[in-house]
Amino acid sequence: MFNFQKKSRSVAASEDVPVAQPVVDHDKLVAEAAAIAPQVEAAEGVAKADLLDKRGELLARAGEADEAILAFEESIEAEKRMGAAYKGLTALYNQKRREAAAAKDDAATKEWFDKLQALMQSSKDMLRGK
Amino acid sequence: MEVLSWIINNILTQAAIIIGLIACLGLALQKKPGQEIFAGTMKTLFGFMILSAGSSILQTSLKYFGAIFNQAFQLGTSGGAVVASIEGINGQAMTDLGLGSEIAITLAGIFIVNIILARVTKFKYIFLTGQALLWESTLAVVFSWFLGLRGLPLVLLASVVGGCFATFMPAIAQPVVRKITGSDDIALGHFCTIGYMVTAGVAKLVGDPKDSAEDVKIPEKLDFLNDTYLAVFTVMLPFFIITAIIAGPDACNAVCTDLGVSTSVNFVVQAFLQCCTFVIGLYVLMMGVRQLLDNIVPAFQGISMKLVPDSKPALDCPVLFPYAPNSVILGFIFTTIGSIIGMLISPVSGYLVIPGVMSNFFAGGTAGIFGNAMGGKRGLIIGCIVHGIFIMLIPAFLTPMLAQIGFVNLTCTDVDTVFTGYLLYGIKCLFGL
């Protein structure tokens, strides 16, 4: 009755069934992201944010977390709105937090967790018109 | 022995000091410098005292409102109006019921049980929303106390029950959270999960997930909620004024005399002032809660993430807002509609339950996200109306027990904490305690 090590059906289903992972062409994605950079400099406002979101998504898919974070943060600075940047940063901040916790880097774990908290506060404030 | 007796009677029975010592322990475990430990300990202690002051202010206006409501609408000898405010419940429990120490120790206990369960089971969820844990700790302690438990047995039972809710509620919500976020990396740490799953279930039955609410053009924000306390005031004022007018000047002045409140002011103006007092009480109470948690929660968050490095953080509901912002706004609107319907039905419990605005925003908004994920626009609308009724009626039926325990004109909001109460009440009935 209290065999907590026994997998529940739903957990087992999500863990044992192999999920096909899409093949990621790292170099192609990084090249596409690099091609967007000059366009970003020339753009403003919503257009700039759109380009930065696209750049951030490409870099995140390529596994370049730090560069992706910079792109998404710049997007929010250009145009504060819900969407790809917030979603991207939520996933990336959590990824960095997890990596720091695994590396037993307490300061970095706290830093990334605090960024996640600040992001949540920002989304809450935005919806309330603050 | 005399020294020990002195310590027990003068320190360990003082909730403010116990809470300060818990913060001190948390800061020391993080190896903070001495000055920070001292500052954090004292600020936490001050936070509890601010909370107490806020609760006291809130109670005065709640007693006034409850009394004029009973004069205006006779809901039966043991009925009346209650305001849905988990913050108020926490304030009264920590001060008037004298359970401050137990609630603070159980808060730490819930963290410990959560960490143990995350380490030994497949459910690697660490609940990181501090305020929600404080509400859960409050209900777990209150109903464990209602069972007749005291001291260590009370804290142990409340910690185990609370820790189980903290671990398993995120797990219950996770299938839908995965659908919303497209990943399994983060979880939801908000004690309204049962309501969200009810919304998701209804939405799945009636809706079409392909017809998303995110494709609709609606206002991007709710400016009305820009200032929390102004929003609460705007909602509560009609209740105070209308109730006072129906009760009449004589009844209102009699209530004021009983409560030691001035009768030199016109009775409608007095109702207005009491509404302002309610809002100020809530403001001061929440200031105290934030200060109290400011040093305790980060300490335990850091320790939790360190001890369970492969954990999934269960975060506050705004973590989901960016994934479906339209659904948040629509969820708030339709949950509010549902909660008004629920309010009108609630007198069947013997009490009229007045909904909480901020609870409707956060819980309603998140329910909207769940509803849209499972059933699109139609699922969201119908699911959230059902959700609104659900989050009013479930606390309504707990209210008689809360009144019996000693809560004045208040009931809970976050439904998972209400079910904590039901679970413990069920244990009480089962074992004849």
Side-chain angles (χ1 to χ4, degrees):
Chain A
M1 183 181 171
F2 295 108
N3 186 358
F4 290 116
Q5 297 306 315
K6 186 175 175 182
K7 288 181 185 176
S8 66
R9 279 190 203 162
S10 59
V11 172
S14 68
E15 286 183 356
D16 291 348
V17 174
V19 177
Q21 298 293 336
V23 174
V24 172
D25 185 338
H26 172 270
D27 293 342
K28 187 179 172 200
L29 290 167
V30 169
E32 280 181 39
I36 293 174
Q39 299 173 47
V40 168
E41 284 176 24
E44 282 179 1
V46 173
K48 184 173 182 175
D50 285 343
L51 287 166
L52 284 161
D53 284 348
K54 192 171 174 191
R55 183 175 149 78
E57 281 168 346
L58 289 165
L59 289 164
R61 278 168 57 200
E64 298 291 333
D66 293 327
E67 290 294 315
I69 286 171
L70 285 174
F72 284 134
E73 286 176 347
E74 217 183 312
S75 168
I76 289 172
E77 264 180 60
E79 182 71 20
K80 200 172 179 186
R81 61 183 182 177
M82 293 285 191
Y86 271 85
K87 289 190 277 192
L89 284 175
T90 301
L92 289 166
Y93 285 163
N94 189 49
Q95 177 189 320
K96 297 297 280 186
R97 179 207 61 81
R98 206 173 47 239
E99 288 168 1
K104 297 192 193 317
D105 185 344
D106 294 344
T109 305
K110 183 176 181 331
E111 183 197 337
W112 290 111
F113 183 69
D114 287 346
K115 280 180 180 268
L116 200 50
Q117 300 259 68
L119 194 67
M120 287 195 300
Q121 182 64 41
S122 176
S123 69
K124 191 164 64 173
D125 288 346
M126 230 184 343
L127 275 169
R128 285 163 59 180
K130 280 189 176 179
Chain B
M1 274 306 289
E2 271 187 32
V3 170
L4 187 63
S5 179
W6 187 92
I7 290 172
I8 290 169
N9 291 332
N10 292 285
I11 293 180
L12 298 183
T13 52
Q14 297 303 310
I17 296 177
I18 292 288
I19 288 164
L21 288 174
I22 290 172
C24 183
L25 176 66
L27 290 161
L29 286 171
Q30 289 180 99
K31 298 185 176 66
K32 295 284 184 186
Q35 196 178 342
E36 262 191 66
I37 293 176
F38 173 74
T41 303
M42 291 313 299
K43 282 181 183 173
T44 305
L45 194 154
F46 294 155
F48 178 77
M49 292 182 134
I50 296 169
L51 182 158
S52 302
S55 179
S56 182
I57 297 169
L58 196 64
Q59 276 197 65
T60 308
S61 66
L62 280 172
K63 280 181 185 164
Y64 167 87
F65 179 70
I68 64 168
F69 187 89
N70 285 337
Q71 293 295 324
F73 311 100
Q74 310 287 326
L75 278 191
T77 51
S78 58
V82 292
V83 178
S85 171
I86 190 77
E87 302 87 356
I89 291 279
N90 169 256
Q92 280 192 20
M94 290 188 101
T95 55
D96 291 338
L97 297 191
L99 294 172
S101 301
E102 289 85 347
I103 290 170
I105 297 169
T106 299
L107 182 63
I110 288 174
F111 270 116
I112 293 168
V113 171
N114 185 198
I115 288 170
I116 293 170
L117 288 173
R119 279 193 74 105
V120 304
T121 72
K122 284 285 189 183
F123 303 106
K124 302 291 179 195
Y125 303 98
I126 295 291
F127 201 106
L128 295 173
T129 310
Q131 274 190 19
L133 285 169
L134 182 62
W135 310 150
E136 174 65 16
S137 173
T138 301
L139 268 290
V141 164
V142 162
F143 276 87
S144 300
W145 182 81
F146 190 45
L147 255 64
L149 298 177
R150 301 289 184 266
L152 187 61
L154 181 156
V155 169
L156 282 175
L157 177 63
S159 297
V160 168
V161 170
C164 288
F165 270 77
T167 311
F168 300 128
M169 283 300 147
I172 288 169
Q174 195 62 3
V176 183
V177 172
R178 264 198 295 270
K179 202 172 160 65
I180 292 164
T181 63
S183 81
D184 203 27
D185 292 338
I186 54 170
L188 179 64
H190 200 228
F191 281 125
C192 303
T193 301
I194 296 173
Y196 301 151
M197 297 311 287
V198 166
T199 309
V202 169
K204 189 173 164 67
L205 284 173
V206 304
D208 173 12
K210 292 193 193 69
D211 183 23
S212 175
E214 299 308 309
D215 300 330
V216 174
K217 187 96 178 121
I218 62 168
E220 290 177 348
K221 55 191 177 186
L222 292 165
D223 288 335
F224 160 72
L225 294 171
N226 192 321
D227 188 304
T228 305
Y229 300 99
L230 208 51
V232 170
F233 174 76
T234 307
V235 169
M236 291 305 295
L237 186 63
F239 287 100
F240 273 76
I241 299 290
I242 291 169
T243 305
I245 291 171
I246 294 174
D250 293 339
C252 290
N253 287 334
V255 164
C256 287
T257 305
D258 286 343
L259 294 174
V261 174
S262 168
T263 54
S264 62
V265 176
N266 172 269
F267 76 106
V268 176
V269 175
Q270 185 62 253
F272 170 84
L273 291 172
Q274 289 298 328
C275 183
C276 295
T277 305
F278 174 85
V279 173
I280 295 305
L282 197 63
Y283 180 86
V284 175
L285 190 153
M286 284 310 297
M287 198 160 60
V289 166
R290 276 189 283 272
Q291 178 134 333
L292 187 153
L293 293 176
D294 220 17
N295 288 288
I296 293 179
V297 170
F300 288 110
Q301 284 170 344
I303 292 164
S304 307
M305 288 190 286
K306 200 170 165 177
L307 292 178
V308 193
D310 57 341
S311 62
K312 283 188 198 132
L315 300 168
D316 204 356
C317 57
V319 75
L320 298 181
F321 287 3
Y323 293 93
N326 279 5
S327 302
V328 174
I329 292 172
L330 292 170
F332 164 70
I333 292 168
F334 288 101
T335 292
T336 299
I337 292 170
S339 67
I340 292 170
I341 299 170
M343 178 182 72
L344 296 171
I345 300 172
S346 63
V348 300
S349 67
Y351 292 88
L352 179 84
V353 179
I354 296 168
V357 172
M358 297 322 295
S359 170
N360 277 6
F361 173 68
F362 290 108
T366 309
I369 298 174
F370 273 62
N372 182 57
M374 300 306 288
K377 277 202 298 288
R378 190 166 64 239
L380 184 159
I381 290 169
I382 298 172
C384 284
I385 291 174
V386 170
H387 178 248
I389 297 170
F390 183 80
I391 64 173
M392 293 298 287
L393 292 186
I394 295 298
F397 291 112
L398 191 73
T399 305
M401 283 170 263
L402 292 172
Q404 196 183 335
I405 291 169
F407 289 98
V408 175
N409 299 118
L410 283 172
T411 191
C412 302
T413 48
D414 302 16
V415 288
D416 295 358
T417 66
V418 179
F419 276 96
T420 303
Y422 283 132
L423 174 69
L424 288 162
Y425 187 72
I427 293 172
K428 179 178 166 64
C429 296
L430 198 64
F431 292 99
L433 296 170

